[in-house]
């Protein structure tokens, strides 16, 4: 993990960072609301005999959304997990290269997720896909869209990290 | 380009291994090798086709896999941990433990094991246990100047208890797949679980006695040893909250994943009682928002890899391996252990059970009591979550703690005694299946 | 074309991927593996110059229950077996039998009726080919839904305040008690801990999931909520194009036989499940007729509400499909406890 601010952040980097932090805050409060919803559902079921229908669907879809919203900041903070057996012994330049390869792969994966989710997202909007078996109606097209968006944003942020890793190897000293 | 599927399976594994050892982020290495592997496997000679299918598969797994209430437990227990920690309640609780158990060497690590045993007994989700205790127990052990590696090991190692002490999601899945009684499995898990927990505690106490640097002796004069009345009350309070949440599961008020939500809400209330105000509460919420993603993204990409392995004929390969060599009972068990440990390196425990139990259960019929075999298997699979180079529990701890100095290698090293003890209990069950079968036979007959 | 063919056929050897999100101990999956696949293999070998192999991926190892339609669409699977209940929007109209509770309780009879209905009204599954690039090969189902409970009950009032588990589209069936959502993997734990005090499911699945252990000394009530036909066996259209027509023909014929066979197996499982539950100390009995009427009355408006919703969303004449279905069920000799008024 490396949370230190690289010297001389460009405007693009600053914008990316604050945008990702914003998404993270949204995700955090979403999670917090989920805790509240679960409490409400449990109390409703156990105390008032009237559970909140759709809790299961809302929670399930929220878990995914919460993760997605957290991802960009995770990338920028370089907090994905890795081993340091060899990496730890590399020179700053070498570390920069490994980082660049990592984020290059990640960029492709995120763009791949966006590309691979595209068709199902379009379909989902086309039929305004709902979930909930006729008990509740939870729209899933926003969730599918979020996956595509995070794919694109993740791809962009990862590309930026490739550039950052190669051009500012002094940060790995 | 055309390769035999076993070549692809092994080739991708080798590439992944090299990537991860070099320092490529683990999740990216999982996802990338799974993706390339899928292009080759699904294309089967037609790369364009393979590309389309693999991409679509990538999108589908990204959307589907985590869209499950079960995974909500992980961020919710992290949130609970953050409230408990930032409000100072965790500190009070551990001070209380430190004070009341002052004669036990390594008492905070022992308490972590005991806490995990209780937590385990009700939630049965080891990743959630690791996430919660990384945030509650680890900072407190550090505050009391426990050795880092020692503290990390106790958190990662004891999280495994969740899968053995009932109720356990793994025992349920095993029972359904192998068509064995879940009650019987649950009862069977009690003794091996308690043996394992006591082994862990003895290990901690002994090593802390031999090397007091690992866990300092109680020092009346140290700041950490001072316990005010307020801290005493608060420590009891948080202990009660935890028991209440866990009691709720026992009492049938909510499921383990719901417990995460109820517990987080309860922990926030306690935080407010402890004087947390809007700003601090918001800080706790935002902080927890940073921690779940690395762990969950890893689980997601590990599942991508698991799906690739299955598509590439993992089960067939295992089946063929057994057909090739006609082994005796001991040989079969040794090969099974090796396969489980190897799969434990990459896959999550439920996937391993789904893939291997239908193959292994019939193979061991006749010479291994099926109930004992289940406990044997779960110990082995869980041990795999702690062994290098891949170990989802170790990764979870790394992703959950807020300590940049702790390395994966340290957590792996700290966990070694724990998985060795697990293997010992496992071998004990192999040699003396009574350990697992005695209690269910007594209770159910 | 040459290259497209190469993807499925090498020399005379064909390889297809078959999968389901459910594990093979679930009857419809088991019968894919033990009946459909061996029969196709045997006939292709005997009647054509080809040899066919299957790679089988069950229990969510390649696709999960929510993802089988999509997996069969994009080609991760050539043939998928899935419950339409997990695609309650994309395969909305195919959930029809869920919308008419207390329907035909015999799995074999209902499978036959629903297959006839589907042939008569292809609107039921029109999206499969048009939108989701897969052909419907067969339908099949589970058996008669009833209730396993920890508590004794006779009248409709007796279940007041009881927590009753149901999985998805049959959750609206829960009237009187408190409906609690479940899934197959969660059910055992929910019943053990008491989050659920009863579950609406099939007796054989209750037994296989070991729910009788949690409901020890409890009751299984045969409610005749109906043997829902909710399984679709579908095949990727692109894969079909790559196969020789004589092979597709065998697959199609064997699929239809599979639908019938699997339903018969489910029907057999019903009695097997009841016997097993009884042997495990569960009291098995039939639902009180008055309780059935009281229960059905609470659901009286629901079928029409569903018909209108599907009609609006899918632009198919769902009301007509459902009325026809009811007619066909009644023609087969089954009586609904009340008359559903469907526009
Ligand atoms: Na491992
Ligand atoms: Na789906």
């Amino acid at each position: 993990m490396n949370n230190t601010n690289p010297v001389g952040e460009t405007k693009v980097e600053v914008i990316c960072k604050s945008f990702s932090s914003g998404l993270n805050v949204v995700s955090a409060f979403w999670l917090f609301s989920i805790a509240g919803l679960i409490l409400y559902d449990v109390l409703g079921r156990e105390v008032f005999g009237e559970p909140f229908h759709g809790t299961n669907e809302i929670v399930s879809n929220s878990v995914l959304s919460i993760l997605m919203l957290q991802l960009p900041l995770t990338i920028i903070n370089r907090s994905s997990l890795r081993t340091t057996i060899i990496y730890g012994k590399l020179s700053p330049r070498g570390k920069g290269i490994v980082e660049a390869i990592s984020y290059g792969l990640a960029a492709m994966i995120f763009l791949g997720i966006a590309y691979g989710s595209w068709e199902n997202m379009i379909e989902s909007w086309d039929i305004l896909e709902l979930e909930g078996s006729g008990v509740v109606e939870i729209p899933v097209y926003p969730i599918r869209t979020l996956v595509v968006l995070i794919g694109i944003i993740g791809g962009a942020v990862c590309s930026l990290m490739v550039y950052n890793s190669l051009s500012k190897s002094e940060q790995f000293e | 380009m055309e390769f035999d599927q076993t070549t692809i399976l092994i080739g991708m594994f080798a590439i992944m291994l090299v990537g991860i050892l070099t320092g490529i982020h683990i999740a990216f290495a999982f996802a990338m090798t799974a993706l390339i592997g899928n292009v080759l496997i699904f294309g089967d000679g037609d790369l364009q086709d393979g590309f389309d299918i693999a991409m679509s598969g990538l999108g589908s797994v990204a959307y589907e896999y985590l869209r499950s209430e079960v995974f909500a437990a992980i961020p919710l227990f992290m949130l609970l941990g953050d409230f408990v920690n930032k409000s100072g309640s965790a500190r009070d609780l551990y001070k209380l433990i430190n004070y009341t158990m002052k004669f036990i060497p390594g008492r905070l690590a022992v308490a972590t094991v005991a806490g995990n045993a209780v937590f385990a007994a009700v939630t049965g989700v080891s990743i959630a246990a690791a996430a919660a205790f990384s945030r509650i127990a680890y900072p407190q052990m550090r505050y009391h100047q426990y050795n880092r590696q020692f503290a990390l090991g106790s958190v990662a190692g004891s999280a495994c208890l969740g899968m053995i002490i009932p109720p356990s999601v793994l025992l349920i899945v095993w029972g359904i797949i192998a068509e064995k009684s879940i009650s019987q499995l649950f009862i069977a898990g009690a003794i091996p679980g308690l043996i394992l927990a006591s082994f862990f505690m003895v290990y901690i106490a002994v090593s802390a006695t031999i090397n007091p640097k690992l866990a300092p002796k109680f020092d009346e004069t140290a700041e950490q040893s001072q316990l005010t009345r307020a801290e005493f009350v608060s420590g009891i309070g948080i202990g009660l909250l935890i028991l209440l949440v866990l009691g709720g599961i026992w009492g049938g008020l909510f499921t383990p994943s719901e417990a995460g939500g109820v517990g987080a809400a309860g922990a926030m209330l306690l935080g407010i009682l402890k004087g947390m105000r809007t700003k601090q509460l918001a800080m706790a919420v935002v902080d927890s928002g940073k921690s779940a993603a690395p762990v969950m993204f890893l689980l997601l990409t590990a599942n991508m890899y698991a799906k690739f392995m299955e598509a590439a004929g993992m089960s067939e390969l295992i089946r063929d391996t057994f057909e090739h060599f006609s082994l005796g009972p001991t040989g079969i068990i040794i090969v099974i252990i090796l396969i489980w440990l190897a799969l434990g390196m990459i896959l999550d425990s439920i996937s391993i059970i789904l893939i291997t139990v239908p193959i292994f259960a019939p193979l061991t019929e006749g010479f291994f009591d099926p109930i004992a075999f289940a406990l044997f298997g779960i110990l082995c699979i869980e041990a795999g979550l702690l062994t290098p180079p891949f170990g989802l529990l170790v990764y979870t701890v790394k992703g959950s703690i807020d300590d940049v100095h702790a390395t994966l290698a340290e957590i792996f090293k700290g966990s070694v005694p724990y998985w060795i003890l697990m293997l010992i209990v496992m071998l004990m069950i192999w040699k003396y299946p009574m350990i697992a079968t005695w209690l269910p036979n007594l209770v159910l007959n | 074309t040459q290259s497209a063919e190469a993807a499925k056929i090498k020399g005379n050897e064909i390889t297809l991927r078959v999968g389901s999100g459910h594990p093979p101990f679930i009857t419809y999956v088991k019968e894919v593996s033990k009946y459909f696949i061996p029969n196709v293999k045997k006939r292709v070998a005997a009647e054509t110059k080809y040899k066919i192999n299957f790679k089988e991926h069950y229990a969510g190892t390649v696709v999960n229950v929510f993802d089988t339609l999509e997996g069969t669409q994009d080609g991760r699977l050539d043939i998928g077996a899935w419950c339409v209940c997990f695609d309650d929007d994309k395969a909305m109209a195919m959930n029809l039998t869920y919308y008419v509770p207390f329907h035909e309780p015999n799995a074999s009879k209902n499978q036959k009726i629903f297959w006839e209905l589907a042939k008569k009204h292809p609107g039921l599954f029109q999206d499969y080919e048009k939108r989701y690039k897969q052909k419907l090969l067969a339908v099949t189902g589970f058996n008669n839904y009833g209730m396993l409970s920890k508590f004794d009950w006779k009248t409709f009032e007796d279940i007041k305040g009881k927590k009753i588990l149901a999985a998805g589209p049959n959750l609206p069936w829960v009237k009187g008690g408190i409906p609690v959502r479940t899934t197959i993997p969660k059910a055992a734990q929910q019943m053990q801990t008491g989050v659920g005090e009863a579950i609406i499911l099939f007796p054989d699945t209750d037994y296989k999931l070991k729910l009788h252990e949690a409901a020890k000394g409890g009751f299984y009530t045969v409610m005749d909520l109906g043997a829902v036909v909710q399984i679709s066996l579908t095949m990727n259209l692109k894969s079909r194009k790559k196969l020789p027509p004589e092979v597709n023909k065998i697959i199609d014929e064997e699929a239809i036989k599979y639908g019938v066979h699997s339903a018969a197996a489910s029907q057999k499982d019903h009695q097997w499940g009841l016997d097993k539950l009884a042997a495990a100390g569960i009291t098995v009995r039939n639902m009180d007729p008055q309780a059935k009427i009281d229960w059905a009355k609470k659901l009286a408006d629901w079928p029409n509400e569903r018909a209108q919703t599907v009609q609006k969303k899918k632009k198919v004449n769902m009301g007509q499909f459902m009325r026809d279905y009811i007619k066909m069920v009644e023609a087969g000799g089954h009586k609904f406890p009340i008359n559903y008024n469907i526009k």
Side-chain angles (χ1 to χ4, degrees):
Chain A
M1 275 196 238
N2 187 333
N3 293 319
T4 51
N5 268 0
V7 270
E9 280 186 334
T10 62
K11 216 168 194 164
V12 183
E13 283 170 305
V14 173
I15 292 171
C16 266
K17 198 153 195 174
S18 24
F19 179 66
S20 307
S21 303
L23 292 183
N24 185 65
V25 171
V26 173
S27 123
F29 284 96
W30 192 333
L31 174 65
F32 181 65
S33 320
I34 287 303
L37 174 69
I38 291 175
L39 183 68
Y40 179 79
D41 178 45
V42 169
L43 286 178
R45 180 177 73 214
E46 300 298 334
V47 183
F48 306 105
E50 188 61 55
F52 182 79
H53 289 298
T55 302
N56 188 294
E57 284 80 2
I58 294 173
V59 171
S60 308
N61 284 294
S62 296
V63 182
L64 175 69
S65 312
I66 287 165
L67 166 73
M68 287 292 155
L69 290 171
Q70 289 181 6
L71 277 179
L73 190 66
T74 308
I75 300 167
I76 290 190
N77 284 344
R78 299 182 190 273
S79 40
S80 307
L81 297 163
R82 65 127 56 88
T83 59
T84 50
I85 309 163
I86 295 177
Y87 178 82
K89 296 188 179 72
L90 295 177
S91 67
R93 181 86 195 133
K95 283 182 179 155
I97 291 172
V98 171
E99 285 287 278
I101 296 173
S102 259
Y103 287 105
L105 294 176
M108 285 191 266
I109 292 156
F110 279 108
L111 293 175
I113 288 176
Y115 175 85
S117 313
W118 182 263
E119 228 182 275
N120 279 328
M121 177 195 77
I122 297 294
E123 170 65 11
S124 197
W125 277 97
D126 215 15
I127 64 170
L128 295 176
E129 189 179 4
L130 303 173
E131 198 180 75
S133 315
V135 189
V136 287
E137 292 185 335
I138 312 284
V140 295
Y141 39 93
I143 318 287
R144 289 205 184 261
T145 310
L146 183 66
V147 174
V148 171
L149 280 179
I150 294 298
I152 295 168
I153 295 169
V157 173
C158 286
S159 309
L160 185 70
M161 296 301 285
V162 173
Y163 166 78
N164 178 290
S165 306
L166 289 177
S167 64
K168 293 174 193 158
S169 53
E170 64 273 15
Q171 64 180 301
F172 302 110
E173 267 162 34
Chain B
M1 262 189 298
E2 226 175 296
F3 301 102
D4 152 46
Q5 65 175 15
T6 308
T7 315
I8 299 174
L9 193 62
I10 294 167
M12 286 303 135
F13 183 78
I15 294 174
M16 180 182 69
L17 198 62
V18 170
I20 288 178
L21 289 179
T22 320
I24 303 288
H25 294 241
I26 298 161
F28 304 154
F30 275 156
M32 202 59 196
T33 40
L35 187 61
I36 297 170
N38 278 340
V39 172
L40 299 173
I41 284 290
F42 286 109
D44 200 14
D46 181 345
L47 285 186
Q48 178 61 47
D49 229 21
F51 180 79
D52 289 343
I53 296 175
M55 283 299 174
S56 180
L58 180 69
S60 272
V61 179
Y63 173 71
E64 288 295 353
Y65 181 63
L66 291 172
R67 236 165 44 95
S68 155
E69 189 210 26
V70 179
F71 292 109
I74 297 165
L76 285 171
F77 277 114
M78 283 184 173
L79 181 61
L80 181 154
D82 269 356
F83 280 135
V84 169
N85 236 334
K86 294 222 162 64
S87 66
S89 307
R91 176 145 303 178
D92 300 340
L93 178 65
Y94 269 77
K95 270 188 162 184
L96 181 66
I97 296 170
N98 196 43
Y99 191 83
T100 49
M101 294 172 39
K102 53 182 132 186
F103 302 110
I104 300 175
R107 59 211 153 275
L108 298 186
V110 169
T112 301
V113 171
N116 251 309
V118 177
F119 192 87
V122 285
T123 63
V125 185
S126 49
I127 299 274
F133 280 83
S134 295
R135 299 182 90 75
I136 299 172
Y138 175 71
Q140 302 317 320
M141 284 193 268
R142 290 295 288 154
Y143 170 71
H144 288 269
Q145 289 167 348
Y146 276 46
N147 172 284
R148 192 160 60 212
Q149 182 176 311
F150 188 68
L152 289 167
S154 74
V155 172
S158 58
C160 293
L161 284 172
M163 289 298 142
I164 299 136
I165 297 180
S168 140
V169 178
L170 290 192
L171 285 172
I172 292 178
V173 174
W174 192 299
I176 294 172
I177 295 288
E179 299 182 29
K180 291 287 163 266
S181 156
I182 293 169
S183 317
Q184 211 175 349
L185 286 173
F186 274 7
I187 300 171
I191 290 180
L194 291 177
I195 292 179
L196 189 61
S198 54
F199 277 15
F200 286 176
M201 290 184 195
V202 169
Y203 154 73
I204 290 166
V206 169
S207 30
T209 310
I210 296 171
N211 181 2
K213 277 194 186 127
L214 294 177
K217 284 209 175 76
F218 189 78
D219 174 5
E220 298 282 355
T221 60
E223 177 224 325
Q224 290 94 326
S225 307
Q226 311 306 317
L227 188 71
T228 67
R229 201 187 149 76
E231 285 167 342
F232 177 80
V233 173
S234 157
I236 298 268
I238 185 69
L240 282 179
L241 170 86
I242 294 173
L243 285 182
L244 216 68
V245 169
L246 301 183
I249 305 179
W250 259 324
L253 294 183
F254 34 79
T255 61
S257 22
E258 287 169 348
V262 177
M268 188 190 75
L269 269 179
L270 211 81
I272 293 172
L273 288 179
K274 282 275 301 176
M276 278 177 105
R277 291 297 165 254
T278 321
K279 204 172 163 203
Q280 290 120 304
L281 290 171
M283 282 298 290
V285 173
V286 170
D287 269 7
S288 76
K290 287 180 194 159
S291 40
V295 172
M296 291 174 63
F297 190 59
L298 194 74
L299 287 177
L300 172 66
T301 53
N303 186 262
M304 290 175 178
Y305 196 82
K307 291 206 159 88
F308 153 67
M309 291 218 306
E310 186 57 20
M314 186 72 219
S315 319
E316 290 161 60
L317 189 65
I318 295 175
R319 241 179 257 276
D320 292 348
T321 308
F322 281 104
E323 271 171 23
H324 250 74
F325 311 97
S326 44
L327 299 164
T330 311
I332 290 178
I333 293 296
I334 288 169
V335 174
I336 285 179
I337 294 175
L338 293 178
I339 290 177
W340 269 336
L341 285 178
L343 291 180
M345 299 203 316
I346 344 167
L347 301 190
D348 66 286
S349 315
I350 291 183
S351 300
I352 298 175
I353 292 179
L354 289 174
I355 294 173
T356 60
V357 171
I359 305 173
F360 294 171
L363 270 174
T364 54
E365 237 168 43
F367 67 84
F368 206 140
D369 179 274
I371 297 291
F373 182 62
L375 273 305
F376 172 90
I378 284 171
L379 279 165
C380 190
I381 292 167
E382 285 288 301
L385 298 182
L386 291 174
T387 54
F390 317 104
L392 285 176
L393 275 178
V394 171
Y395 294 161
T396 303
V397 170
K398 167 71 183 153
S400 306
I401 52 171
D402 206 2
D403 181 352
V404 283
H405 301 294
T407 63
L408 273 179
E410 257 178 320
I411 312 175
F412 273 123
K413 276 187 218 150
S415 310
V416 170
Y418 293 88
W419 60 258
I420 290 182
L421 290 171
M422 291 171 77
L423 294 184
I424 290 175
V425 174
M426 187 185 92
L427 295 176
M428 282 166 60
I429 294 178
W430 182 15
K431 193 87 180 71
Y432 309 103
M434 281 267 291
I435 297 170
T437 55
W438 176 75
L439 193 60
N441 285 343
L442 184 80
V443 174
L444 296 173
N445 290 339
Chain C
T1 68
Q2 191 68 38
S3 78
E5 277 218 344
K8 298 288 170 214
I9 309 177
K10 291 203 184 79
N12 283 339
E13 217 164 298
I14 299 169
T15 305
L16 296 181
R17 284 180 195 276
V18 181
S20 172
H22 276 128
F25 70 81
I26 302 283
T27 305
Y28 82 91
V29 184
K30 186 170 84 195
E31 298 303 334
V32 167
S33 180
K34 302 282 181 243
Y35 182 87
F36 174 67
I37 288 177
N39 285 355
V40 172
K41 270 185 170 171
K42 220 184 298 162
R43 278 193 58 196
V44 169
E47 298 168 28
T48 72
K49 61 173 180 157
Y50 298 98
K51 178 176 186 286
I52 192 163
N53 296 314
F54 289 90
K55 291 185 194 297
E56 301 174 55
H57 305 297
Y58 308 122
T61 50
V62 169
V63 292
N64 72 15
V65 288
F66 287 98
D67 193 28
T68 317
L69 175 144
E70 286 83 354
T72 314
Q73 177 182 355
D74 62 35
R76 276 171 290 157
L77 297 178
D78 298 302
I79 295 175
W82 47 283
C83 182
V84 294
C85 54
F86 295 108
D87 287 279
D88 52 351
D89 200 328
K90 287 185 175 177
M92 203 175 194
M94 288 295 273
N95 279 278
L96 184 144
T97 48
Y98 275 115
Y99 305 153
V100 199
F102 295 105
H103 59 245
E104 174 60 56
N106 181 295
S108 278
K109 272 171 104 173
N110 210 30
Q111 191 271 348
K112 211 173 134 205
I113 293 171
F114 192 74
W115 187 236
E116 285 301 315
L117 186 78
K119 280 195 284 189
K120 189 174 164 198
H121 298 299
L124 276 168
F125 57 93
Q126 59 181 11
D127 291 342
Y128 282 25
E129 293 203 21
K130 260 203 310 228
R131 305 190 81 104
Y132 308 122
K133 315 281 177 258
Q134 52 202 292
K135 179 184 161 76
L136 177 67
L137 301 180
V139 297
T140 191
F142 288 79
N143 55 54
N144 191 7
Y145 272 107
M147 185 157 84
L148 177 71
S149 61
K150 293 179 171 179
F151 53 87
D152 193 7
W153 66 287
K154 183 166 182 275
T155 68
F156 183 65
E157 276 65 43
D158 289 345
I159 54 172
K160 198 169 175 218
K162 301 290 187 191
K163 289 178 277 182
I164 301 176
L165 304 176
N170 58 354
L171 197 61
W173 291 355
V174 178
K175 291 289 169 191
I178 302 165
V180 179
R181 199 171 194 295
T182 189
T183 56
I184 282 190
K186 258 168 62 176
Q189 199 155 22
Q190 284 172 315
M191 287 291 279
Q192 291 273 1
T193 57
V195 170
E197 298 164 281
I199 182 166
I200 296 195
L201 200 63
F202 329 101
D204 54 316
T205 312
D206 281 332
Y207 184 78
K208 285 175 188 162
L209 295 178
K210 320 284 172 206
L211 302 182
H212 58 280
E213 292 178 4
K216 213 169 177 186
F219 300 83
Y220 186 88
T221 310
V222 179
M223 292 175 67
D224 287 347
L225 275 158
V228 173
V229 182
Q230 75 281 62
I231 303 302
S232 284
L233 186 74
T234 55
M235 183 169 183
N236 179 290
L237 289 180
K238 219 168 149 189
S239 310
R240 287 181 72 81
K241 278 213 190 93
K242 292 174 186 171
L243 297 187
E246 64 269 34
V247 173
N248 277 330
K249 186 167 165 278
I250 292 173
I251 289 175
D252 294 349
E253 288 168 7
E254 288 307 319
I256 290 174
K257 277 163 64 186
Y258 154 80
V260 174
H261 174 85
S262 179
S266 286
Q267 182 56 29
K268 234 166 83 203
D269 286 348
H270 189 259
Q271 192 54 50
W272 175 87
L274 292 179
D275 293 345
K276 282 289 188 183
L277 289 178
I282 301 284
T283 306
V284 176
R285 78 288 177 85
N286 285 323
M287 188 178 186
D288 175 71
Q290 187 55 46
K292 193 184 281 184
I293 292 169
D294 293 342
W295 192 310
K297 274 185 184 156
K298 295 279 177 201
L299 287 165
D301 299 330
W302 191 64
N304 184 50
E305 187 261 304
R306 289 314 292 160
Q308 303 315 314
T309 308
V310 177
Q311 206 141 328
K312 206 168 130 217
K313 177 132 198 182
K314 293 290 163 180
K315 312 278 181 274
V316 292
N317 196 350
M318 190 66 173
Q320 182 68 48
F321 303 165
M322 285 167 72
R323 286 193 303 273
D324 276 6
Y325 170 74
I326 290 173
K327 255 188 240 154
M328 290 160 80
V329 169
E330 284 174 339
H334 177 73
K335 265 186 77 74
F336 286 86
I338 63 164
N339 285 324
Y340 295 126
N341 187 5
I342 299 167
K343 286 182 211 111

